[in-house]
Coordinates of all heavy atoms in Angstrom, one line a residue:
L1331 N -93.9 93.4 71.0 CA -94.9 93.1 70.1 C -95.3 94.2 69.1 O -95.7 93.9 68.0 CB -96.2 92.7 70.8 CG -96.9 93.7 71.7 CD1 -98.0 94.4 70.9 CD2 -97.5 93.0 72.9
H1332 N -94.9 95.4 69.5 CA -95.3 96.6 68.6 C -94.3 96.7 67.4 O -94.7 97.2 66.4 CB -95.3 97.9 69.3 CG -96.2 98.0 70.6 ND1 -97.5 97.6 70.4 CD2 -96.0 98.2 71.9 CE1 -98.1 97.7 71.7 NE2 -97.1 98.0 72.6
I1333 N -93.1 96.1 67.6 CA -92.1 96.3 66.5 C -91.5 95.0 66.0 O -90.6 95.0 65.2 CB -90.9 97.2 67.0 CG1 -90.3 96.6 68.2 CG2 -91.5 98.6 67.3 CD1 -89.1 97.4 68.7
K1334 N -92.0 93.9 66.5 CA -91.4 92.6 66.2 C -91.4 92.3 64.7 O -90.7 91.5 64.2 CB -92.0 91.5 67.0 CG -93.5 91.2 66.7 CD -94.0 90.1 67.5 CE -95.5 89.8 67.3 NZ -95.7 89.3 65.9
D1335 N -92.4 92.9 64.0 CA -92.5 92.6 62.5 C -91.8 93.6 61.6 O -91.9 93.5 60.4 CB -94.0 92.4 62.2 CG -94.6 91.2 62.8 OD1 -94.0 90.1 63.0 OD2 -95.9 91.3 63.2
C1336 N -91.2 94.6 62.3 CA -90.6 95.6 61.5 C -89.3 95.1 60.8 O -88.6 94.4 61.3 CB -90.2 96.8 62.4 SG -91.7 97.7 63.1
L1337 N -89.1 95.6 59.5 CA -88.0 95.1 58.7 C -86.9 96.2 58.6 O -85.8 95.8 58.1 CB -88.5 94.7 57.3 CG -89.6 93.7 57.3 CD1 -90.1 93.4 55.8 CD2 -89.0 92.4 57.9
S1338 N -87.1 97.4 59.2 CA -86.1 98.5 59.1 C -86.2 99.2 60.3 O -87.1 99.3 61.1 CB -86.3 99.3 57.9 OG -87.4 100.1 58.0
A1339 N -85.1 100.0 60.7 CA -84.9 100.8 61.9 C -86.0 101.9 61.7 O -86.6 102.3 62.8 CB -83.6 101.4 62.0
K1340 N -86.2 102.5 60.5 CA -87.1 103.6 60.3 C -88.5 103.1 60.7 O -89.3 103.8 61.2 CB -87.0 104.1 58.9 CG -88.1 105.2 58.6 CD -87.8 105.8 57.2 CE -89.0 106.8 56.8 NZ -89.4 107.7 57.9
E1341 N -88.9 101.9 60.1 CA -90.3 101.4 60.5 C -90.5 101.2 61.9 O -91.6 101.6 62.4 CB -90.4 100.1 59.6 CG -91.8 99.5 59.8 CD -92.0 98.1 59.1 OE1 -91.0 97.6 58.6 OE2 -93.1 97.6 59.1
A1342 N -89.5 100.6 62.7 CA -89.7 100.5 64.1 C -89.7 101.8 64.8 O -90.6 102.0 65.6 CB -88.4 99.7 64.7
W1343 N -88.9 102.8 64.5 CA -88.9 104.0 65.1 C -90.3 104.8 64.9 O -90.9 105.4 65.7 CB -87.8 104.9 64.5 CG -87.6 106.2 65.2 CD1 -88.2 107.5 65.0 CD2 -86.8 106.5 66.3 NE1 -87.8 108.4 65.9 CE2 -86.9 107.8 66.7 CE3 -85.8 105.7 67.1 CZ2 -86.2 108.4 67.8 CZ3 -85.2 106.3 68.1 CH2 -85.2 107.6 68.5
D1344 N -90.8 104.7 63.6 CA -92.0 105.4 63.2 C -93.2 104.8 64.0 O -94.1 105.5 64.4 CB -92.2 105.4 61.7 CG -91.3 106.2 61.0 OD1 -90.6 107.1 61.6 OD2 -91.2 106.1 59.7
K1345 N -93.2 103.4 64.2 CA -94.2 102.7 64.8 C -94.3 103.2 66.3 O -95.5 103.4 66.8 CB -94.1 101.2 64.7 CG -94.7 100.7 63.5 CD -95.0 99.2 63.6 CE -95.7 98.7 62.4 NZ -96.1 97.2 62.6
L1346 N -93.2 103.2 66.9 CA -93.1 103.7 68.3 C -93.6 105.1 68.5 O -94.3 105.6 69.4 CB -91.7 103.5 68.9 CG -91.3 102.0 69.1 CD1 -89.8 101.9 69.5 CD2 -92.2 101.3 70.1
S1347 N -93.2 106.0 67.4 CA -93.5 107.5 67.6 C -95.0 107.5 67.4 O -95.6 108.3 68.1 CB -92.8 108.2 66.4 OG -91.4 108.2 66.6
K1348 N -95.6 106.8 66.4 CA -97.0 106.9 66.2 C -97.8 106.4 67.4 O -98.9 107.0 67.8 CB -97.4 106.0 65.0 CG -98.9 106.1 64.6 CD -99.2 105.3 63.3 CE -100.6 105.4 63.0 NZ -100.9 104.6 61.8
M1349 N -97.3 105.4 68.1 CA -98.1 105.0 69.3 C -98.0 105.9 70.5 O -99.0 106.1 71.1 CB -97.4 103.6 69.7 CG -97.9 103.0 71.0 SD -97.5 101.2 71.2 CE -98.4 100.6 69.9
Y1350 N -96.8 106.5 70.7 CA -96.7 107.3 71.9 C -96.7 108.7 71.7 O -96.8 109.5 72.6 CB -95.3 106.9 72.6 CG -95.3 105.6 73.2 CD1 -94.6 104.4 72.5 CD2 -96.1 105.2 74.3 CE1 -94.6 103.2 73.0 CE2 -96.0 104.0 74.8 CZ -95.4 102.9 74.2 OH -95.5 101.6 74.8
E1351 N -96.7 109.2 70.4 CA -96.8 110.6 70.2 C -98.1 110.9 69.6 O -98.3 111.5 68.5 CB -95.7 111.1 69.2 CG -94.3 111.0 69.8 CD -93.2 111.6 68.9 OE1 -93.5 112.1 67.9 OE2 -92.1 111.2 69.2
N1352 N -99.1 110.6 70.4 CA -100.5 110.8 69.9 C -100.7 112.3 69.9 O -100.9 112.8 70.9 CB -101.5 110.1 70.9 CG -102.9 110.3 70.5 OD1 -103.3 111.0 69.5 ND2 -103.8 109.7 71.3
T1353 N -100.9 112.8 68.7 CA -101.1 114.3 68.6 C -102.5 114.8 68.6 O -102.8 115.9 68.3 CB -100.3 114.8 67.3 OG1 -100.9 114.1 66.2 CG2 -98.9 114.5 67.4
G1354 N -103.4 113.8 68.8 CA -104.8 114.1 68.9 C -105.2 115.3 70.0 O -104.5 115.3 71.0
I1355 N -106.2 116.0 69.7 CA -106.6 117.1 70.5 C -107.0 116.6 72.0 O -106.7 117.2 73.0 CB -107.7 118.0 70.0 CG1 -107.9 119.2 70.8 CG2 -109.0 117.1 69.8 CD1 -106.9 120.2 70.9
A1356 N -107.6 115.4 72.0 CA -108.0 114.8 73.3 C -106.8 114.5 74.1 O -106.8 114.7 75.4 CB -108.8 113.5 73.0
N1357 N -105.7 114.0 73.5 CA -104.5 113.7 74.3 C -103.9 115.0 74.9 O -103.4 115.1 76.0 CB -103.5 112.9 73.5 CG -102.3 112.4 74.3 OD1 -102.5 111.9 75.4 ND2 -101.1 112.5 73.8
K1358 N -103.8 116.0 74.0 CA -103.3 117.4 74.4 C -104.1 117.9 75.6 O -103.5 118.4 76.6 CB -103.3 118.2 73.2 CG -102.3 118.0 72.2 CD -102.4 118.9 71.0 CE -101.4 118.5 69.8 NZ -101.5 119.5 68.7
M1359 N -105.4 117.8 75.4 CA -106.2 118.4 76.6 C -106.1 117.6 77.8 O -106.1 118.2 79.0 CB -107.7 118.4 76.1 CG -108.0 119.4 75.0 SD -109.7 119.2 74.5 CE -110.6 119.8 76.0
H1360 N -105.9 116.3 77.7 CA -105.7 115.5 78.8 C -104.4 115.9 79.6 O -104.4 115.9 80.8 CB -105.6 114.0 78.4 CG -105.3 113.0 79.6 ND1 -106.2 112.7 80.6 CD2 -104.2 112.3 79.8 CE1 -105.6 111.9 81.5 NE2 -104.5 111.6 81.0
L1361 N -103.3 116.1 78.8 CA -102.0 116.5 79.5 C -102.1 117.8 80.0 O -101.5 118.0 81.1 CB -101.0 116.4 78.4 CG -100.5 114.9 77.9 CD1 -99.6 115.0 76.8 CD2 -99.8 114.2 79.1
Q1362 N -102.8 118.7 79.4 CA -103.0 120.0 79.9 C -103.7 120.0 81.2 O -103.4 120.7 82.3 CB -103.7 120.9 78.9 CG -102.9 121.4 77.8 CD -103.7 122.4 76.9 OE1 -104.8 122.0 76.5 NE2 -103.1 123.5 76.6
E1363 N -104.8 119.2 81.3 CA -105.5 118.9 82.6 C -104.6 118.3 83.7 O -104.7 118.8 84.8 CB -106.7 118.1 82.3 CG -107.8 118.8 81.6 CD -109.0 117.8 81.2 OE1 -108.9 116.6 81.7 OE2 -110.0 118.2 80.5
D1364 N -103.8 117.4 83.2 CA -102.8 116.8 84.2 C -101.9 117.9 84.8 O -101.6 118.0 86.1 CB -102.0 115.7 83.5 CG -102.6 114.4 83.4 OD1 -103.8 114.2 83.9 OD2 -102.1 113.6 82.7
L1365 N -101.4 118.8 84.0 CA -100.5 119.9 84.4 C -101.2 120.8 85.4 O -100.6 121.1 86.4 CB -100.0 120.6 83.3 CG -99.0 121.7 83.6 CD1 -97.8 121.1 84.2 CD2 -98.7 122.6 82.4
M1366 N -102.5 121.1 85.2 CA -103.3 122.0 86.1 C -103.8 121.4 87.3 O -104.0 121.9 88.4 CB -104.3 122.7 85.2 CG -103.8 123.7 84.2 SD -105.0 124.6 83.4 CE -105.7 123.4 82.3
M1367 N -104.1 120.0 87.1 CA -104.8 119.3 88.2 C -104.1 118.4 89.1 O -104.5 118.0 90.2 CB -106.0 118.5 87.7 CG -106.9 119.4 86.8 SD -107.7 120.7 87.7 CE -108.7 119.9 88.9
T1368 N -102.9 118.1 88.7 CA -102.0 117.2 89.5 C -101.7 117.8 90.8 O -101.4 118.9 90.9 CB -100.7 116.9 88.8 OG1 -101.0 116.1 87.5 CG2 -99.7 116.0 89.7
K1369 N -101.9 117.0 91.9 CA -101.6 117.4 93.2 C -100.5 116.6 93.9 O -100.6 115.3 93.8 CB -102.8 117.5 94.0 CG -103.9 118.4 93.5 CD -103.6 119.9 93.5 CE -104.7 120.7 93.0 NZ -104.3 122.2 92.8
M1370 N -99.7 117.2 94.8 CA -98.7 116.5 95.5 C -99.4 116.0 96.8 O -100.0 116.8 97.5 CB -97.5 117.4 95.8 CG -96.5 116.7 96.7 SD -95.1 117.9 97.0 CE -94.3 117.0 98.3
G1371 N -99.3 114.7 97.1 CA -99.9 114.2 98.3 C -99.0 114.6 99.5 O -97.8 114.9 99.4
E1372 N -99.6 114.6 100.7 CA -98.9 115.1 101.9 C -97.7 114.2 102.2 O -96.7 114.7 102.7 CB -99.9 115.0 103.1 CG -101.1 115.9 103.0 CD -100.7 117.4 103.3 OE1 -99.5 117.6 103.7 OE2 -101.4 118.3 103.0
S1373 N -97.7 113.0 101.8 CA -96.6 112.1 102.0 C -95.8 111.9 100.8 O -94.8 111.2 100.9 CB -97.2 110.6 102.5 OG -98.0 110.1 101.5
D1374 N -96.0 112.5 99.7 CA -95.1 112.3 98.5 C -93.8 113.1 98.7 O -93.7 114.1 99.4 CB -95.9 113.0 97.3 CG -97.1 112.2 96.9 OD1 -97.2 111.0 97.4 OD2 -97.9 112.6 96.1

């Protein structure tokens, strides 16, 4: 649904990039927190 209306490869690629490469500071901080806070479970 995110790319079904795209008319070119560039448009589709850019749409997916914009959706999943959120460069906002909130997303960066969230990932940094994930890196520092993620824990391996005893059964993992």
Side-chain angles (χ1 to χ4, degrees):
L1331 63 93
H1332 304 306
I1333 59 172
K1334 65 182 181 62
D1335 295 323
C1336 293
L1337 300 178
S1338 69
K1340 177 174 171 45
E1341 184 182 2
W1343 188 273
D1344 289 347
K1345 276 201 171 182
L1346 291 173
S1347 296
K1348 184 176 181 180
M1349 172 166 295
Y1350 291 106
E1351 293 179 18
N1352 180 359
T1353 57
I1355 187 64
N1357 192 39
K1358 291 179 181 178
M1359 290 180 65
H1360 175 71
L1361 287 171
Q1362 284 180 311
E1363 288 176 1
D1364 280 350
L1365 183 63
M1366 291 186 286
M1367 303 302 294
T1368 294
K1369 301 295 180 185
M1370 176 180 167
E1372 296 285 349
S1373 61
D1374 291 348

